[in-house]
Amino acid sequence: MTADSLLQVRHLHVVFDVEGREAVAVERLDADVHEDEVVALVGESGSGKSVSSMSVLGLLPRNARVSGSIRFDGIELVGASTDQLRRVRGGGVAMVFQDPSQALDPVFTVGSQLVEALRAHARMSRAEARRRAIELLRAVEMPDPETRMGFYPHQLSGGQAQRVVIAIGLAGEPRLLIADEPTTALDVTVQAEVLDLLRRLRTRSRMAILLITHDMGVVADLADRVVVMRNGSVVETGAVEQIFAAPREGYTRDLLASVPRMGAGVRRDDAAEAAASDAVVSVSDLVVDFRARLRGTVRAVDDVSFRIGRGEVLGLVGESGSGKTTVARSLIGLSPVTSGTVVVDGTDVAAARGAERAEMRKRVGVVFQNPLASLNPRYTVAEVLAEPLRVHAKLRGSALDDRVDELLSSVALGGGRWRTRYPHELSGGQRQRVAIARAVSLDPVLLVADEPTSALDVSVQRQVLDLLAGLQERLGFACLFVSHDLAVVDAVCDRVAVMRRGRLVEIDDCRTVLTDPKDEYTRRLIASAPLPDPVAQRARHAS
């Protein structure tokens, strides 16, 4: 650590006042970021990564007490006034947040939000700001940026919304960019483009980056140094090559051992035959059209056919906007079927009405990407799990309580202390465990998992994947597993289907698709996935 650091953190201590009790989130953190350097902050959920980064710009809630020193370009930020922080924010230090649905205002177009950010940092006319906004959208690889300027956040895919958030972060041309999980919601090709963009920005402007991420492939691809945190404290710091090749601490070794790697999957080779002979899901010639206000009819899914056998896990991969989630939603009756058929456990989903549709939905469990958005914030964990059991299984009294306890034990949240917690009192991994318990509460024949681990750090992701695999083996349900992470797909799926622009371009067992892909698009997807090895990743860039 040196005195000429662009960002210099010394003895940072962050304590939250929670109902009269002190909760220590960060304890005596020391860290430095130099110009033209990428420092990655890694660790499990609750380790203090995001709290540390939010402390830099004074973005913590009022019940937080911060002590120690945070100096940016020689300016002390701990205890700085609102005016002092405002002068640093944006032009000096900018932040890209993890969840674009929280970072973007739903009632304004993305263009107006970009224009507002640009005019806040520099004197320019509205026309000049609009031209610059289009340039920023083009820089973050937004397709048709002129048209997207008029879109509202809900009209964009998750990956497109994240690109808008990154563009807003770059609006003031900051010297330090704090990127909190900037590629979490992105598929591998868009992730590769964003990482290349950040790399070019760093080279062109010597912009420093403080990267908070759970994706060790992203760390290997972009970082120069790594700071490993656990329970609010620094466990280990070192150059990225040293951390990956010879970590000193056992916690760091465990963290790296949890990283999924392509080629490590050991799944059934007879999955295609099983799907053909005993299909729980049969999708034939599926077409899904949507009405778009600006573009008329948009075809989201075009002539897609596949089957999922009993006890089989089918992975569905592709870029943002390829139609993955629309296909998944069509299996549970949440996306309109324009033509074709979707049959789940003998029921035609599109044709089912009333009691037949309700009965079909009882047999399908769903795990969404964002558990905080899918769990009722007013319900305790016990109430979340009890609701489908009361409505569909008609359980009451001690039978209901026993089933809730059984479900909590099945996802390693037993012991009774979790029953009265609310979703906001749980970590991301704990929330997803509750979501999985709810999804399997009615013993489904089909589980639809839409990006269930994308927001989780690697060790928690490993636990959740092991949990899903164990439940699937024990309960025998079929599973559609939607993901942008090819290594995760390889770890849990029997077969994989690849989608592009609404069409299915390739489907086969995981080993064949991921080692010998037939379609050029699949080959590009695989080549875009970052390797959790900095030496191999740098060699890939050099070739």
Side-chain angles (χ1 to χ4, degrees), residues 159-320:
Q160 291 169 350
Q162 192 72 303
R163 286 185 246 191
V164 173
V165 173
I166 293 170
I168 291 174
L170 299 175
E173 299 182 356
R175 296 179 63 195
L176 170 65
L177 183 70
I178 301 176
D180 190 354
E181 301 282 5
T183 62
T184 290
L186 305 182
D187 58 74
V188 289
T189 52
V190 177
Q191 175 179 264
E193 292 165 358
V194 170
L195 293 176
D196 286 342
L197 169 67
L198 292 174
R199 195 177 294 106
R200 290 194 301 272
L201 288 167
R202 171 196 178 184
T203 301
R204 186 167 66 242
S205 62
R206 293 178 58 83
M207 181 180 71
I209 300 173
L210 178 59
L211 178 69
I212 294 93
T213 183
H214 66 267
D215 190 326
M216 301 306 286
V218 171
V219 173
D221 189 23
L222 197 61
D224 300 305
R225 286 192 301 116
V226 182
V227 178
V228 183
M229 294 189 68
R230 185 185 191 190
N231 298 331
S233 300
V234 174
V235 172
E236 185 169 356
T237 302
V240 65
E241 293 86 355
Q242 177 262 310
I243 291 292
F244 276 78
R248 294 186 299 272
E249 300 296 326
Y251 174 73
T252 309
R253 290 193 290 272
D254 291 343
L255 203 63
L256 291 169
S258 300
V259 178
R261 288 170 167 79
M262 280 196 288
V266 285
R267 307 295 287 171
R268 291 165 39 199
D269 292 327
D270 62 343
E273 291 81 358
S277 61
D278 190 15
V280 172
V281 174
S282 180
V283 176
S284 300
D285 307 319
L286 176 64
V287 173
V288 178
D289 291 336
F290 291 107
R291 292 286 301 171
R293 183 170 60 88
L294 298 177
R295 295 184 294 165
T297 300
V298 174
R299 179 147 294 182
V301 177
D302 188 7
D303 194 28
V304 166
S305 300
F306 62 86
R307 290 186 167 203
I308 308 176
R310 198 170 303 277
E312 181 195 10
V313 183
L314 176 68
L316 194 60
V317 303
E319 294 178 305
S320 298

Side-chain angles (χ1 to χ4, degrees), residues 98 181 183-186 214-215 369-370 432 450-457 461 481-485 488:
Q98 174 179 353
E181 301 282 5
T183 62
T184 290
L186 305 182
H214 66 267
D215 190 326
Q369 178 176 356
N370 185 351
Q432 200 61 297
D450 190 357
E451 299 278 8
T453 63
S454 67
L456 305 179
D457 59 72
Q461 179 187 76
F481 191 93
V482 181
S483 180
H484 67 268
D485 191 325
V488 167

Side-chain angles (χ1 to χ4, degrees), residues 34-105:
H34 297 83
E35 281 191 322
D36 191 27
E37 181 183 40
V38 180
V39 175
L41 208 55
V42 303
E44 293 178 304
S45 299
S47 63
K49 307 186 302 293
S50 292
V51 170
S52 301
S53 65
M54 300 281 274
S55 301
V56 175
L57 290 175
L59 298 177
L60 293 175
R62 292 182 179 180
N63 67 331
R65 296 201 313 274
V66 182
S67 59
S69 174
I70 303 174
R71 300 182 71 85
F72 172 74
D73 200 23
I75 302 170
E76 179 60 57
L77 300 181
V78 173
S81 67
T82 301
D83 286 341
Q84 289 172 317
L85 287 171
R86 188 178 292 119
R87 285 194 292 270
V88 170
R89 291 170 181 163
V93 183
M95 191 155 190
V96 173
F97 295 96
Q98 174 179 353
D99 187 354
S101 67
Q102 298 293 321
L104 296 175
D105 193 319

Side-chain angles (χ1 to χ4, degrees), residues 249-438:
E249 300 296 326
Y251 174 73
T252 309
R253 290 193 290 272
D254 291 343
L255 203 63
L256 291 169
S258 300
V259 178
R261 288 170 167 79
M262 280 196 288
V266 285
R267 307 295 287 171
R268 291 165 39 199
D269 292 327
D270 62 343
E273 291 81 358
S277 61
D278 190 15
V280 172
V281 174
S282 180
V283 176
S284 300
D285 307 319
L286 176 64
V287 173
V288 178
D289 291 336
F290 291 107
R291 292 286 301 171
R293 183 170 60 88
L294 298 177
R295 295 184 294 165
T297 300
V298 174
R299 179 147 294 182
V301 177
D302 188 7
D303 194 28
V304 166
S305 300
F306 62 86
R307 290 186 167 203
I308 308 176
R310 198 170 303 277
E312 181 195 10
V313 183
L314 176 68
L316 194 60
V317 303
E319 294 178 305
S320 298
S322 64
K324 305 188 302 294
T325 295
T326 301
V327 168
R329 288 169 64 88
S330 73
L331 299 190
I332 52 179
L334 295 180
S335 287
V337 175
T338 304
S339 64
T341 58
V342 177
V343 177
V344 175
D345 198 29
T347 300
D348 187 326
V349 175
R353 295 290 184 273
E356 186 183 15
R357 172 166 286 202
E359 183 64 29
M360 181 275 297
R361 284 181 169 169
K362 285 168 53 177
R363 305 196 300 273
V364 180
V366 186
V367 181
F368 295 99
Q369 178 176 356
N370 185 351
L372 193 58
S374 65
L375 299 177
N376 190 328
R378 297 177 182 273
Y379 280 12
T380 64
V381 166
E383 290 169 334
V384 166
L385 297 182
E387 183 179 32
L389 296 170
R390 278 198 303 266
V391 173
H392 296 294
K394 309 302 181 186
L395 292 183
R396 299 290 186 275
S398 61
L400 178 62
D401 290 338
D402 290 346
R403 179 57 175 156
V404 168
D405 288 339
E406 181 186 344
L407 288 167
L408 285 172
S409 295
S410 73
V411 294
L413 292 177
R417 65 193 182 100
W418 304 102
R419 291 179 59 97
T420 57
R421 300 278 183 93
Y422 287 88
H424 72 273
E425 297 177 302
L426 305 177
S427 70
Q430 290 163 351
R431 291 184 202 123
Q432 200 61 297
R433 287 171 183 267
V434 173
I436 291 169
R438 180 180 61 181

Side-chain angles (χ1 to χ4, degrees), residues 15-23:
V15 178
F16 289 93
D17 183 356
V18 182
E19 298 178 350
R21 295 182 296 105
E22 286 191 349

